[in-house]
């Protein structure tokens, strides 16, 4: 069974500073993907970034980067130059690409608050 | 930019009633999913659908639930006899390839 652990229920960061949101995962699959989603107070799920298990380079998307350490089974999200609009819940998820066609297992999330 | 759409945005129903939640996935996507999120909790996988059949379902997806792709565009989730604990946000998602996971805006279901 797959599992995602996000140990930080809440985080505070000063505007314009960088912040790292932790995520560790457990999966027995050889081929899998790691995802981060942002959920603002309005409720929608916004896809941020993806890392495949065989990707050798860490994924980056604008101000978001994924610090992927496969041996440690961690996939931390780094947000550089935080903005007030980054205040939201952040969910890490793992999906395998074997028979299950990529359904995602989510962690409990981290609530990020950006202070002006 | 193409997006997943869901209707209605909010549905209120009485316990025991049937509800149908509707989704229009992105047109060239092949894999479709339903997830739910009880208020304040994590997002949970319900069911995945590929090639006009269920490919995987979670233990939450019991006989009260069913999914259908009645035409080439819509993807529906039916709850036959709603319970209070079915109150949640229901998200539809679709993907074409691995590595993407586009979610719809969600339908908030309130069972009274």
């Amino acid at each position: 069974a797959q599992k995602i652990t996000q140990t930080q229920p809440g985080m505070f960061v000063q505007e314009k500073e960088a912040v790292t949101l932790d995520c560790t995962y457990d999966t027995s699959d050889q081929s899998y993907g790691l995802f981060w989603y942002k959920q603002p107070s309005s409720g929608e799920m916004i896809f941020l970034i993806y890392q495949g298990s065989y990707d050798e380079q860490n994924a980056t998307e604008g101000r978001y980067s994924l610090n992927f350490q496969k041996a440690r089974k961690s996939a931390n999200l780094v947000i550089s130059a935080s903005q007030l609009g980054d205040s939201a819940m952040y969910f890490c998820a793992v999906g395998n690409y074997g028979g299950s066609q990529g359904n995602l297992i989510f962690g409990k999330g981290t609530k990020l608050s950006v202070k002006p | 930019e193409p997006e997943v759409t869901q209707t209605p945005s909010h549905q209120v129903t009485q316990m025991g009633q049937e509800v149908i939640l509707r989704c229009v996935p992105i047109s060239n996507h092949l894999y479709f999913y339903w997830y739910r999120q009880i208020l304040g909790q994590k997002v949970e996988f319900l069911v995945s659908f590929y090639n006009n059949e269920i490919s995987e379902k979670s233990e939450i997806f019991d006989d009260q639930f069913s999914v259908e792709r009645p035409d080439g565009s819509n993807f529906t989730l039916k709850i036959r006899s709603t319970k209070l604990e079915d109150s949640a946000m229901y998200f539809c998602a679709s993907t074409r390839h691995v590595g993407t996971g586009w979610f719809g805006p969600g339908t908030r279901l309130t069972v009274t």
Side-chain angles (χ1 to χ4, degrees), chain A residues 25-105:
Chain A
Y25 62 92
D26 192 13
T27 179
S28 55
D29 297 302
Q30 294 299 311
S31 179
Y32 53 89
L34 295 152
F35 299 75
W36 277 92
Y37 286 84
K38 173 184 178 181
Q39 187 176 45
S41 57
S42 51
E44 71 266 33
M45 294 289 285
I46 301 168
F47 168 69
L48 294 178
I49 196 167
Y50 162 82
Q51 177 88 40
S53 57
Y54 289 108
D55 294 340
E56 293 187 354
Q57 288 200 318
N58 287 341
T60 59
E61 289 285 350
R63 293 186 299 109
Y64 304 107
S65 60
L66 200 153
N67 185 357
F68 181 47
Q69 297 186 47
K70 193 171 181 178
R72 297 179 63 184
K73 292 193 172 180
S74 79
N76 298 339
L77 177 71
V78 180
I79 306 174
S80 63
S82 300
Q83 301 172 356
L84 295 178
D86 293 335
S87 293
M89 283 292 290
Y90 288 81
F91 291 97
C92 180
V94 62
N96 77 65
Y97 301 114
S100 63
Q101 311 294 350
N103 55 285
L104 301 180
I105 304 300

Side-chain angles (χ1 to χ4, degrees), chain B residues 57 60-66 80:
Chain B
K57 58 185 180 180
I60 302 169
F61 194 88
D62 61 22
D63 292 344
Q64 294 295 319
F65 292 90
S66 62
R80 286 191 185 83

Side-chain angles (χ1 to χ4, degrees), chain B residues 11-59:
Chain B
Q11 173 101 43
V12 181
T13 189
Q14 288 191 325
M15 197 166 53
Q17 295 296 303
E18 174 183 287
V19 294
I20 297 176
L21 310 183
R22 292 182 166 81
C23 168
V24 179
I26 295 173
S27 63
N28 63 352
H29 284 189
L30 302 174
Y31 306 92
F32 313 113
Y33 310 86
W34 283 102
Y35 294 84
R36 81 170 186 191
Q37 184 182 32
I38 296 170
L39 187 64
Q41 298 187 22
K42 66 178 180 180
V43 178
E44 300 172 291
F45 165 72
L46 291 178
V47 65
S48 57
F49 194 86
Y50 171 72
N51 202 24
N52 286 322
E53 61 183 22
I54 290 173
S55 50
E56 189 165 352
K57 58 185 180 180
S58 72
E59 61 271 12

Side-chain angles (χ1 to χ4, degrees), chain B residues 86-97:
Chain B
D86 294 328
S87 294
M89 180 77 95
Y90 288 81
F91 292 104
C92 172
S94 71
T95 66
R96 177 168 175 79
H97 307 291

